[in-house]
Amino acid sequence: MDLRFSAEDEQYRLQLRQWLEDHRPSEPSPAEQDAAFAYRRAWQRKLCEGGWVGIHWPQAYGGQGATLVQQAIYAQEMARARAPQPANGLGISIVGPTLIEHGTEAQKKRYIPKILNADEIWCQGFSEPNSGSDLASLQTKAVLDGDEFVVNGQKIWTSLGQYADWCILLVRTDPHAPKHKGITFLLVDMHSPGVTVRPLKQITGHAEFNETFFDNVRVPRANVVGDINDGWRIAMTTLTYERGISTLATQVRMKQQLDAMIDYARTSRSNGQTLSQDPVLRQQLATAYIRVEIMLLNLYRGITTQLRGRPPGPEASLTKLYWSELDKWMQELGMTLQGPYAQLMRESKHAVAGDWQYNFLRSRAGTIYSGTSEIQKNIIGERVLGLPKG
Ligand SMILES: Cc1cc2nc3c(=O)[nH]c(=O)nc-3n(C[C@H](O)[C@H](O)[C@H](O)COP(=O)(O)OP(=O)(O)OC[C@H]3O[C@@H](n4cnc5c(N)ncnc54)[C@H](O)[C@@H]3O)c2cc1C
């Protein structure tokens, strides 16, 4: 494996780095949730004007047709510049690519430009109260009535549903078919009569996701992606995009936080010595350093596999399991380093590293969304190790 980037790719990196230098917001994100969302929306508009949204999409749909390596560089540089996340994360990472692959020309024309410029925000209505890991057991139903579906049911964990204009919704359209076969993939206007969104407050204090109710919501038949009862196949494309290359940005952010932890350990004292002189903490910081480096090398290995023309296989599960469990462990280490100060959120004037508390409280979520750690282990056990089905 050659771990160097080509001169052309390095040129791309410099071009993006310069653009970010010139355009990155000078003010930090506000803490309040609605204001923070507006800030991210404004940032996405700026990115879009510069042609830096959806870079991996074909040029015909507003992207750059960026190569895999350019996407990797993009993820790294965005994180390196500590650029905010664009507001329409789901729209860019999964809805756009799914429509480009499976949508009609009319759907692409109608939805794609407004995904890019954040005029329309998207959410994902897959999970239900009784269907998460076993997604194909979903019960929200849609019945065709003339040229419209009538949708009834409940979704949960709908990230950013309170800001969303549109939803990619999985519904059961044939209750008699085997469970993977009777599902349809719909595009639903979140402003339709009968849609109710109730935010759920998390341990972080933010309400990032929602319960979403559909009560006789009418959806035009033209809003089906793919064919009726073929939604499972479309949803699988969506989930592949969800576990994509953006993990490189996560790696850079984790490295940045680890650097901050190492600085903190060098400069903070406890029991008459700096934290970095404590043999147990030293060991843990060294372990963290090694694990964050391993994460990068594994990601490069995944990219190399794809560059050699092989599809992303169960490696995606290894990556997901590795980074999410590592992140949880590292955030716990951040709390240990702070000792009693770990109890102070950033609002406290005595807080020493206030954002770490938020990261700690948020980190368990990573081991749940996009397939829980147990589900990833099942996939690795069955498809990588060839163990019998559990
Ligand atoms: C921050 C966050 C954002 C999310 N955003 C969205 C969103 O926008 N849209 C959306 O549709 N969903 C979203 N989700 C939902 C997410 O996809 C589900 O939470 C996830 O799939 C798990 O489903 P569940 O919560 O129903 O847990 P369950 O499937 O009920 O699992 C409960 C426990 O049982 C374990 N388990 C289940 N099945 C097995 C098995 N076969 N073998 C071993 N253990 C098993 C699980 O690992 C878990 O520990 C989000 C979740 C989070 C945390």
Side-chain angles (χ1 to χ4, degrees), residues 90 123-135 155-161 168 202 208-209 239 242 362 364-376 378 390:
L90 275 168
C123 65
Q124 179 185 19
F126 283 17
S127 307
E128 298 183 359
N130 291 317
S131 301
S133 302
D134 182 16
L135 183 58
K155 297 287 172 178
I156 195 163
W157 305 96
T158 325
S159 297
L160 298 181
I168 47 171
Q202 293 158 252
E208 185 184 347
F209 42 66
L239 294 180
E242 198 172 9
R362 179 71 174 59
R364 182 166 294 275
T367 67
I368 300 173
Y369 63 75
S370 299
T372 66
S373 289
E374 289 76 16
I375 293 300
Q376 307 302 343
N378 282 348

Side-chain angles (χ1 to χ4, degrees), residues 68-315:
L68 204 57
V69 174
Q70 287 172 337
Q71 292 170 54
I73 290 170
Y74 180 88
Q76 288 179 323
E77 289 302 312
M78 286 288 162
R80 183 183 164 280
R82 297 174 197 266
Q85 307 273 356
N88 214 1
L90 275 168
I92 299 164
S93 61
I94 62 177
V95 181
T98 305
L99 287 177
I100 289 168
E101 192 163 334
H102 299 289
T104 61
E105 264 326 293
Q107 287 171 341
K108 291 176 197 176
K109 252 203 183 124
R110 161 65 187 83
Y111 299 110
I112 282 180
K114 293 186 178 190
I115 292 177
L116 287 174
N117 65 13
D119 268 6
E120 290 178 342
I121 302 296
W122 284 76
C123 65
Q124 179 185 19
F126 283 17
S127 307
E128 298 183 359
N130 291 317
S131 301
S133 302
D134 182 16
L135 183 58
S137 65
L138 61 93
Q139 293 299 319
T140 295
K141 70 171 184 205
V143 177
L144 204 49
D145 177 25
D147 258 355
E148 291 178 328
F149 285 100
V150 181
V151 179
N152 280 286
Q154 186 197 340
K155 297 287 172 178
I156 195 163
W157 305 96
T158 325
S159 297
L160 298 181
Q162 69 271 53
Y163 301 112
D165 302 291
W166 286 89
C167 178
I168 47 171
L169 190 73
L170 290 184
V171 289
R172 185 156 303 284
T173 34
D174 184 351
H176 307 296
K179 65 180 181 179
H180 294 86
K181 305 262 185 214
I183 293 172
T184 298
F185 192 113
L186 289 180
L187 308 174
V188 177
D189 182 347
M190 290 291 281
H191 306 294
S192 311
V195 177
T196 309
V197 178
R198 280 198 211 141
L200 292 167
K201 199 162 178 177
Q202 293 158 252
I203 194 170
T204 55
H206 281 187
E208 185 184 347
F209 42 66
N210 303 267
E211 295 179 292
T212 312
F213 299 87
F214 297 87
D215 186 12
N216 287 322
V217 176
R218 300 192 78 88
V219 181
R221 188 186 176 133
N223 290 17
V224 173
V225 180
D227 291 324
I228 295 176
N229 294 327
D230 193 26
W232 187 252
R233 190 174 63 88
I234 315 290
M236 288 304 98
T237 321
T238 306
L239 294 180
T240 313
Y241 289 120
E242 198 172 9
R243 296 170 193 165
I245 206 156
S246 58
T247 314
L248 271 164
T250 309
Q251 193 274 342
V252 176
R253 280 194 287 272
M254 284 168 79
K255 180 81 170 63
Q256 286 165 342
Q257 195 186 347
L258 178 59
D259 289 344
M261 283 185 192
I262 293 170
D263 271 357
Y264 182 79
R266 281 200 179 115
T267 50
S268 306
R269 298 180 73 81
S270 172
N271 297 326
Q273 58 183 7
T274 62
L275 295 175
S276 58
Q277 286 168 318
D278 178 305
V280 175
L281 293 177
R282 281 176 81 81
Q283 287 279 343
Q284 287 182 324
L285 286 167
T287 305
Y289 185 89
I290 292 164
R291 294 178 76 185
V292 171
E293 287 304 305
I294 291 174
M295 178 173 165
L296 178 65
L297 296 177
N298 270 331
L299 287 166
Y300 282 168
R301 179 161 50 191
I303 293 172
T304 307
T305 307
Q306 288 187 58
L307 286 175
R308 289 186 180 147
R310 278 176 271 157
E315 289 96 349

